[in-house]
Amino acid sequence: MSSGERLRRELYTLRFILGKEMKLWKRYPSRILFIIIMPFLSILTLYFQGMGLVGSTVSSEFESFAGTQDYLMFIIVGSVVFIFVSTAIWGVGNSIRREQMMGTLESIWVTPTSKLTIFVGVALFDGLFSSYVAFMQLLISSVILPVNMLDLKMFVVIGIAFLLIFSLYGLGFFFTGFVLIYKELEDFTNMITSAIKMISPVSYPLSVLPTPIAFLAMFIPLTYALQAIREYLGLGEYGPFYQYMGLLLLFDLLFIIGGSLFFRYAEKKAKRSGIIATH
Amino acid sequence: MAIETKDLTKTFYRRNGLIDRMKHRERIEVKAVDGVDLEIREKELFGLLGPNGAGKTSFIKLLSTLLLPDRGTASVNGWDIEKNSFEVRMSIGLTLSSERQLYWKLTARENLEYFASLYLVRPDEIKQRVDDILEMLDITAQGDMLIENFSSGNRQKVALSRALLNDPPILFLDEPTIGLDPSFSKNFRKLIKKRINEKEKKTILLTTHYMEEADLLCDRIAFINEGRIVALDTPENLKKSIDEKEIMTFRLSRASKDMIKEMKGLEPIHDMEELDQDDSVVMKIFTDSASACIQDVFDILTRHGSQVISYVASKPTLEDVFIKITGCGLDG
């Protein structure tokens, strides 16, 4: 088979991976309820939290350390971007874990399709799913809350999020390698996700963090994506927009290469030790 | 040659939990495949027979590129398993013994179409290929049923269908009839032999610990024990390798050393083996003629106060050959 023909067939395989994920997802009816209700719960929690803390969706107190009065818009941006963070980092690893638990991983691993195609297929499904949740959160915010999140600026925000997601998938490859070797990572997943959320400026600006923790945030691409988005949306003064874009590109490169190399190492180690399909 | 291995070796190192590791630094070494040299011809139905844990599945996983060898080489359909893993995967179909190798929440057709795409079947041929295979294995009617509603036997048929999707020249079937009821196993074996091997002309490497299965299906059989090939020949020649024409199998309440020594002194008896089983002893007596020594054997048993629970005289089976070579049964 020529490499062109192989590429064509692997691209076609993506359609079937998406289809399979969608069918498996649909076969559990409770999930339908989940995707209808969850965006409301997430956004309304943020709204009531703001109302409880500052009595309004805007606050001059908040402006003194965040650079903007618009508390609600500040935190919705963080929340929506974080949906992609969580999915990008853990989506592929969790999918591999699910296949391990279902007993289908070896059946997939023995096929000639490249692992990258399988990962991209899973990532596409997760990406579409996250996009839906993010869009619903923005829609709900714009329709029932006093913020407008659906203007043209959102296209630039999506572009920035896109740059961020590449580097996060690099991290995702790294954690997928971890899943192959160390299996059960649920607690680890929760810990890392919580740590990223705490260190990076998802729910609050970096200025509220103690200096050593704020220093750690410099090594997380999410920090630069959020700073760039908030700068662009005028939600405070966060510094040089294009410099943040450059840093995001650098993280993309480093994390994708590093994550891929680690995954290859982990796959080889799993094949040597025979632990690919063990639980 | 369809498959060729030279000195193929795979060792696993097992360690317990962290506390145990701190107490005992040494690793437990398990040689799953130990210096295997093997040649399997094109279109041959080759059986790998051995007890659980003998190394059968590890051997298949090495050839399928799911494991990497520590030493030695192997080629499948002319491709090296380490250097040409893509070409090897394009050349093989694999079914594993696990029932959970399919998506239970998808239908048979959905499973097969998905795997056909992973096997890089031409996109415009996927639907037709799936229809053809469902028909070939006589499960077209169940094509749109969820796998979770299938019987174990039909699930195994779908797994076999999946292995045939890319029309590979070589099939690896790992314990294909494990857990199936006897009548379904019989039909399934017929399907493997007549349809897949003889009509479709596939080379098949089949692992099993059922001696009848290996005996009925395989052109040649290799006995594997503790990772090593201990015998290799046609089923007939393997059975002929036992000089004795009959085997007397006794299940006894007990067996003393003196009793066994006395029996070994009987002229028609060539050899004897004893296997302890729970609260009884299974004794096999290898002889040219059971009728010539049966009375003497019963006399000795009576004298030594050993109660006979059951007795069978039979022709040598592959299991007898295996026991004679390895000193242990196929049940491990």
Side-chain angles (χ1 to χ4, degrees):
Chain A
M1 190 190 301
S2 69
S3 50
E5 178 61 16
R6 183 180 171 188
L7 179 66
R8 193 177 79 85
R9 292 191 195 183
E10 296 234 8
L11 287 173
Y12 200 78
T13 301
L14 286 177
R15 201 190 104 181
F16 279 88
I17 297 173
L18 272 175
K20 175 213 92 176
E21 294 288 336
M22 184 63 81
K23 281 170 196 155
L24 283 176
W25 189 86
K26 278 195 304 190
R27 301 272 149 90
Y28 294 93
S30 61
R31 289 175 175 170
I32 309 280
L33 204 64
F34 175 83
I35 64 156
I36 294 171
I37 293 174
M38 240 358 241
F40 282 93
L41 297 182
S42 309
I43 282 299
L44 292 177
T45 303
L46 294 177
Y47 172 71
F48 292 131
Q49 195 177 310
M51 293 300 283
L53 285 173
V54 295
S56 166
T57 60
V58 292
S59 159
S60 50
E61 285 291 316
F62 189 68
E63 188 178 18
S64 64
F65 53 88
T68 177
Q69 289 195 345
D70 201 337
Y71 163 81
L72 191 59
M73 190 141 166
F74 180 94
I75 203 165
I76 286 174
V77 167
S79 166
V80 167
V81 172
F82 199 72
I83 293 169
F84 292 98
V85 173
S86 192
T87 310
I89 293 180
W90 300 113
V92 177
N94 282 340
S95 153
I96 296 299
R97 182 75 188 136
R98 273 198 305 277
E99 302 283 359
Q100 267 176 348
M101 298 302 283
M102 283 194 287
T104 46
L105 186 65
E106 283 183 316
S107 302
I108 294 171
W109 232 246
V110 81
T111 65
T113 292
S114 83
K115 307 295 175 293
L116 183 66
T117 304
I118 294 167
F119 293 168
V120 171
V122 171
L124 271 176
F125 175 77
D126 285 343
L128 286 174
F129 186 79
S130 300
S131 300
Y132 161 81
V133 177
F135 175 76
M136 285 304 291
Q137 288 200 0
L138 295 175
L139 185 68
I140 293 163
S141 310
S142 301
V143 173
I144 65 173
L145 297 179
V147 285
N148 180 18
M149 303 296 295
L150 285 176
D151 62 14
L152 287 174
K153 284 183 172 176
M154 275 302 139
F155 287 104
V156 177
V157 172
I158 290 166
I160 299 168
F162 198 70
L163 270 182
L164 167 71
I165 282 168
F166 269 104
S167 62
L168 297 178
Y169 273 110
L171 269 182
F173 288 165
F174 180 81
F175 288 121
T176 304
F178 242 66
V179 167
L180 276 185
I181 300 173
Y182 297 107
K183 316 294 170 196
E184 186 49 66
L185 286 178
E186 204 177 323
D187 295 336
F188 188 65
T189 304
N190 290 335
M191 188 184 76
I192 295 285
T193 310
S194 301
I196 290 175
K197 199 166 187 178
M198 188 196 87
I199 294 168
S200 53
V202 176
S203 309
Y204 36 73
L206 283 182
S207 55
V208 304
L209 292 173
T211 313
I213 298 179
F215 177 74
L216 287 178
M218 299 296 115
F219 299 97
I220 300 174
L222 176 63
T223 301
Y224 301 105
L226 286 172
Q227 305 273 55
I229 288 170
R230 287 178 179 140
E231 169 75 24
Y232 178 73
L233 293 177
L235 294 169
E237 297 285 330
Y238 293 98
F241 178 83
Y242 290 107
Q243 198 174 316
Y244 290 147
M245 295 290 97
L247 280 167
L248 274 178
L249 277 171
L250 185 68
F251 272 112
D252 285 350
L253 207 65
L254 285 176
F255 283 15
I256 288 277
I257 292 172
S260 305
L261 286 176
F262 181 77
F263 175 79
R264 286 180 66 165
Y265 159 78
E267 189 193 11
K268 214 162 189 176
K269 186 176 165 70
K271 279 186 172 186
R272 287 230 177 270
S273 57
I275 54 172
I276 277 189
T278 56
H279 295 180
Chain B
M1 285 297 155
I3 297 166
E4 199 171 355
T5 71
K6 285 197 179 93
D7 193 28
L8 197 65
T9 301
K10 180 78 212 165
T11 306
F12 294 123
Y13 298 96
R14 300 282 180 238
R15 278 176 155 170
N16 295 326
L18 190 64
I19 303 288
D20 283 348
R21 283 190 209 182
M22 287 158 74
K23 282 187 200 163
H24 316 284
R25 295 180 68 84
E26 75 275 14
R27 302 177 295 181
I28 302 162
E29 189 180 298
V30 182
K31 278 221 159 148
V33 178
D34 190 2
V36 170
D37 296 313
L38 196 63
E39 289 183 347
I40 300 175
R41 300 170 198 133
E42 282 178 18
K43 297 173 189 128
E44 189 173 20
L45 206 167
F46 191 94
L48 203 54
L49 185 67
N52 291 329
K56 305 185 296 290
T57 301
S58 296
F59 184 69
I60 276 196
K61 286 185 178 178
L62 281 166
L63 297 180
S64 313
T65 75
L66 286 170
L67 287 175
L68 288 170
D70 302 328
R71 203 179 65 219
T73 58
S75 68
V76 175
N77 200 28
W79 302 105
D80 185 279
I81 57 165
E82 285 194 83
K83 292 178 194 146
N84 311 100
S85 61
F86 173 76
E87 287 81 2
V88 169
R89 286 183 218 145
M90 287 293 281
S91 309
I92 62 169
L94 167 73
T95 71
L96 294 163
S97 54
S98 161
E99 258 206 292
R100 306 214 57 115
Q101 53 185 312
L102 298 159
Y103 296 95
W104 283 32
K105 283 282 178 192
L106 296 184
T107 67
R109 195 180 299 280
E110 286 166 348
N111 264 287
L112 293 178
E113 285 180 354
Y114 170 62
F115 278 104
S117 77
L118 292 183
Y119 274 104
L120 304 179
V121 174
R122 275 175 62 102
D124 53 339
E125 288 175 2
I126 287 178
K127 201 173 176 313
Q128 190 58 50
R129 183 79 191 139
V130 168
D131 285 344
D132 291 347
I133 291 175
L134 287 172
E135 196 181 327
M136 187 208 291
L137 300 193
D138 200 20
I139 44 175
T140 304
Q142 291 97 3
D144 294 316
M145 245 169 68
L146 292 182
I147 294 295
E148 66 183 2
N149 298 325
F150 274 59
S151 65
S152 298
N154 277 337
R155 255 178 232 140
Q156 198 60 9
K157 270 192 176 180
V158 180
L160 181 61
S161 307
R162 189 192 56 201
L164 292 165
L165 281 167
N166 54 334
D167 196 17
I170 297 166
L171 286 183
F172 297 135
L173 308 181
D174 187 24
E175 305 271 8
T177 59
I178 199 163
L180 305 187
D181 67 61
S183 69
F184 197 97
S185 295
K186 195 177 160 191
N187 289 334
F188 201 68
R189 284 171 191 148
K190 201 169 147 192
L191 179 78
I192 292 170
K193 179 78 177 169
K194 298 287 174 197
R195 185 73 208 229
I196 311 295
N197 178 236
E198 290 176 7
K199 194 167 176 205
E200 299 288 324
K201 308 213 179 297
K202 307 286 183 199
T203 305
I204 298 176
L205 169 59
L206 171 146
T207 72
T208 182
H209 66 278
Y210 298 138
M211 58 169 178
E212 306 93 337
E213 186 163 284
D215 199 356
L216 281 168
L217 289 179
C218 300
D219 302 320
R220 287 193 304 153
I221 291 169
F223 286 154
I224 186 167
N225 192 41
E226 293 175 352
R228 300 188 73 87
I229 302 290
V230 290
L232 194 166
D233 213 326
T234 62
E236 286 314 307
N237 284 344
L238 283 169
K239 282 184 276 187
K240 277 184 202 159
S241 69
I242 293 187
D243 295 332
E244 300 80 7
K245 292 186 176 64
E246 282 188 280
I247 296 170
M248 302 158 76
T249 306
F250 288 90
R251 184 178 290 273
L252 304 170
S253 57
R254 64 190 194 86
S256 67
K257 281 183 183 171
D258 289 344
M259 186 185 88
I260 291 163
K261 195 177 168 189
E262 202 174 329
M263 278 192 198
K264 279 183 176 170
L266 294 173
E267 182 68 24
I269 292 177
H270 288 205
D271 201 1
M272 287 178 61
E273 270 165 13
E274 312 88 52
L275 295 170
D276 284 325
Q277 287 190 352
D278 300 328
D279 53 353
S280 62
V281 178
V282 173
M283 193 167 72
K284 283 181 181 272
I285 299 174
F286 298 88
T287 176
D288 284 336
S289 168
S291 58
C293 62
I294 184 74
Q295 192 55 55
D296 293 336
V297 169
F298 269 100
D299 287 347
I300 292 169
L301 291 173
T302 310
R303 256 202 319 278
H304 286 270
S306 183
Q307 198 184 342
V308 178
I309 300 165
S310 65
Y311 163 67
V312 182
S314 59
K315 299 284 178 199
T317 64
L318 285 175
E319 181 156 24
D320 296 318
V321 183
F322 190 87
I323 291 170
K324 195 141 195 214
I325 292 170
T326 65
C328 64
L330 283 168
D331 294 329

